[in-house]
Amino acid sequence: MHVKLKNITYIDSQMFTIYYHPACYTSYRLLKALNESNAIKSVRLIDMSLNNYLAVSRQILTVPLIENNGEQIYGGPIDIEKAKDLVINGEVSLNVENVKEALIGAIADSSAISSILYYYGDVRPLKEFSGFLRSATGLALDKNGAEKMKEMYKVIEEEELYNEIEHKIIATLAYNKVRESLYLNINDQSPESFIMWFVSKASVGRAGVPFKNVEQIKSKAIKIYEYYSERREKINEKLIKEIQEIKSGISEIINELGDHS
């Protein structure tokens, strides 16, 4: 049995698949760049807001994500020009000079990965997500990517790495909690709402719902809430401006392409 993907725009001869989300600013920027260069109709577009099961079945843990023949090759905190060249020319070369910096950027760009690591209190679960690591750091497009992946796994084993980046993870989660609330028109930014959001974000079904560690997880969520509370006006202003730009821009792009699902 095959599940029909919803709201897919594609051309039969496409080489690349792009997983995107209408609420993602980087997704919007990528689609805008491809649309302006008339390259957008040569790719298959999958709206992750309508095909959420792929996050589990295909481990789509960051957007936008470019896939080629079933392989995740570039996603997350992408260079828009590089991504555009990849789609237009069929290939592009990246040189990831600082593996650790690329890894931290990839983590901070994904609320899914950030929530898992923050819940667990360690970065070592990343070793289970090789597709994410290769695509979100750019190593899949680096000619020396295989060697640099070995270096990255060594970085992941560094004991101090989690403590070094925890503040970035908290910031990522705070912004994403508020962003999702704004899209849903939910004005509840209470500590309790942050607790429930964090538990839901870090869980898949019952897996991950706290039991013996309830108070520990609550205290983690409260730190996300406190980060937001200390920067409430700045975060709200930034996200509202971003959302207004995305909503008008991405709708125009998708409407131009039409619904070929």
Side-chain angles (χ1 to χ4, degrees):
M1 177 181 178
H2 295 282
V3 178
K4 183 180 180 182
L5 294 166
K6 295 181 179 179
N7 197 32
I8 299 180
T9 302
Y10 65 93
I11 300 298
D12 289 341
S13 61
Q14 90 283 344
M15 177 182 294
F16 297 104
T17 297
I18 297 180
Y19 300 90
Y20 75 95
H21 194 285
C24 169
Y25 190 59
T26 309
S27 290
Y28 162 63
R29 289 175 57 228
L30 175 58
L31 296 189
K32 183 173 183 285
L34 292 176
N35 192 46
E36 290 173 348
S37 60
N38 296 316
I40 198 167
K41 291 185 178 180
S42 66
V43 299
R44 184 188 195 205
L45 299 177
I46 298 181
D47 183 344
M48 287 299 290
S49 72
L50 301 174
N51 299 283
N52 63 324
Y53 65 92
L54 295 174
V56 175
S57 68
R58 302 290 292 276
Q59 287 197 5
I60 309 298
L61 300 171
T62 189
V63 287
L65 179 65
I66 302 175
E67 181 184 84
N68 184 24
N69 296 322
E71 180 186 358
Q72 298 179 15
I73 58 173
Y74 198 32
I78 60 174
D79 181 309
I80 298 297
E81 288 301 312
K82 288 285 189 181
K84 185 177 75 173
D85 289 345
L86 172 62
V87 170
I88 293 174
N89 301 318
E91 61 180 4
V92 72
S93 179
L94 290 181
N95 179 23
V96 181
E97 295 182 359
N98 190 319
V99 168
K100 183 175 181 178
E101 185 178 288
L103 174 64
I104 293 172
I107 294 169
D109 191 71
S110 170
S111 62
I113 288 293
S114 288
S115 65
I116 291 169
L117 301 186
Y118 188 50
Y119 186 104
Y120 197 72
D122 200 327
V123 299
R124 282 175 288 186
L126 279 172
K127 293 185 291 184
E128 303 295 326
F129 301 102
S130 59
F132 168 81
L133 289 175
R134 294 181 72 250
S135 60
T137 60
L139 287 182
L141 300 174
D142 190 314
K143 65 179 181 179
N144 297 313
E147 287 301 313
K148 291 179 180 179
M149 276 292 287
K150 295 177 184 177
E151 181 184 345
M152 183 171 295
Y153 280 115
K154 291 180 181 178
V155 172
I156 290 171
E157 289 290 346
E158 293 177 4
E159 291 185 7
E160 71 277 8
L161 180 59
Y162 176 79
N163 290 333
E164 183 180 331
I165 66 172
E166 186 182 66
H167 68 288
K168 290 181 178 289
I169 289 174
I170 291 172
T172 292
L173 295 175
Y175 271 90
N176 275 278
K177 194 282 182 187
V178 178
R179 180 182 289 109
E180 291 171 20
S181 297
L182 289 171
Y183 265 97
L184 291 170
N185 292 317
I186 294 175
N187 297 318
D188 183 5
Q189 304 297 1
S190 64
E192 292 77 15
S193 74
F194 275 77
I195 293 170
M196 289 303 299
W197 178 87
F198 175 53
V199 169
S200 298
K201 182 65 69 173
S203 304
V204 178
R206 190 170 296 175
V209 175
F211 184 69
K212 295 180 180 179
N213 55 342
V214 170
E215 294 307 316
Q216 178 190 27
I217 297 306
K218 280 185 176 180
S219 67
K220 284 176 176 282
I222 292 301
K223 287 182 180 179
I224 304 172
Y225 165 74
E226 290 172 346
Y227 180 94
Y228 168 67
S229 295
E230 293 168 3
R231 302 161 179 82
R232 185 185 303 264
E233 290 185 9
K234 176 186 175 183
I235 292 175
N236 286 346
E237 181 180 353
K238 179 183 185 300
L239 292 178
I240 290 171
K241 181 179 179 181
E242 174 188 292
I243 288 169
Q244 288 173 343
E245 181 181 353
I246 295 172
K247 278 188 173 181
S248 60
I250 206 163
S251 295
E252 183 178 338
I253 294 169
I254 299 304
N255 288 338
E256 283 182 14
L257 291 173
D259 184 6
H260 300 288
S261 59

